[in-house]
Each structure stands twice: as C-alpha cells, then as structure tokens.
Amino acid sequence: MEDANTFDPDLVHAIFKLVWNRRALERERNEGADGLDIQVGAGASKKNRPTYANANALKLSCELLRIFVTEAVQRAATIAEAEGVSKIEATHLERILPQLLLDF
C-alpha cells in the first residue's frame, strides 16, 4: 500500500547511494594519504563490495524520514504560533532542531 504522504523509496535510495559513493571516495583519499602504512589483509576487498539496501530497509527509512519531518514541522509551528506568526520561518526550525535531534 503506497501512501501519498511518504517519501519516494527510489529517491531515498538515490540519496543513500550518493552518500555511500562520497564516503567511499573519502576513504580512498584517506587511504592514499596513509601511503604504505596500510596492511593488506582479508578485509581489504571491502571497498570493492557493492553497498545496497533492501526494500524493507528503504520503506523503514522513508517512514522514519516522514515522521522526522512531520515532527519538525509540528514543533516549529508551535513556536511560530507562540510568537503570533502564521508562517513557519527558518529561525523556528533552528530553534527546535537541537532538541529534535536529541529526541530522535
């Protein structure tokens, strides 16, 4: 059952792949900077293995992202309402973000 109020799993997967690729490039740069100090062992082929996410993991990630964004908007709306403003602004999100991150 697809919910219209959720994030697209393909989009989340594309974001994951982008992050994985960037981290792999960072690892390669860091390993290159270490030079010959790296020992080649059984785990050396890790960078050659593809990283993937199964469908259930993507669905769960989409749901977590949906809940996180919904909670952020609700908390920011509460702050905006307390200030007598009818529009959520970036400053409202900035004020709720530290506690939101601790709660999640």
Side-chain angles (χ1 to χ4, degrees):
M1 181 173 105
E2 282 294 314
D3 186 8
N5 295 326
T6 189
F7 290 90
D8 179 15
D10 293 333
L11 174 62
V12 172
H13 188 245
I15 293 169
F16 285 173
K17 286 174 69 173
L18 178 66
V19 171
W20 294 332
N21 288 335
R22 286 184 179 172
R23 287 194 176 160
L25 289 173
E26 285 177 21
R27 258 193 317 273
E28 287 177 15
R29 277 197 302 264
N30 290 339
E31 288 175 1
D34 291 341
L36 299 175
D37 295 340
I38 301 173
Q39 278 189 324
V40 177
S45 64
K46 181 178 178 184
K47 64 183 172 185
N48 296 331
R49 291 185 298 203
T51 305
Y52 65 93
N54 69 28
N56 289 332
L58 287 173
K59 286 180 185 178
L60 184 62
S61 297
C62 290
E63 182 63 12
L64 181 64
L65 189 58
R66 184 190 68 78
I67 292 169
F68 182 83
V69 170
T70 300
E71 184 67 20
V73 169
Q74 288 175 349
R75 291 183 187 195
T78 301
I79 297 292
E81 187 178 308
E83 292 179 353
V85 181
S86 62
K87 187 176 183 181
I88 297 173
E89 298 176 2
T91 56
H92 300 126
L93 290 168
E94 290 171 357
R95 288 175 53 194
I96 61 97
L97 190 58
Q99 186 62 45
L100 179 67
L101 291 173
L102 287 173
D103 292 344
F104 270 79

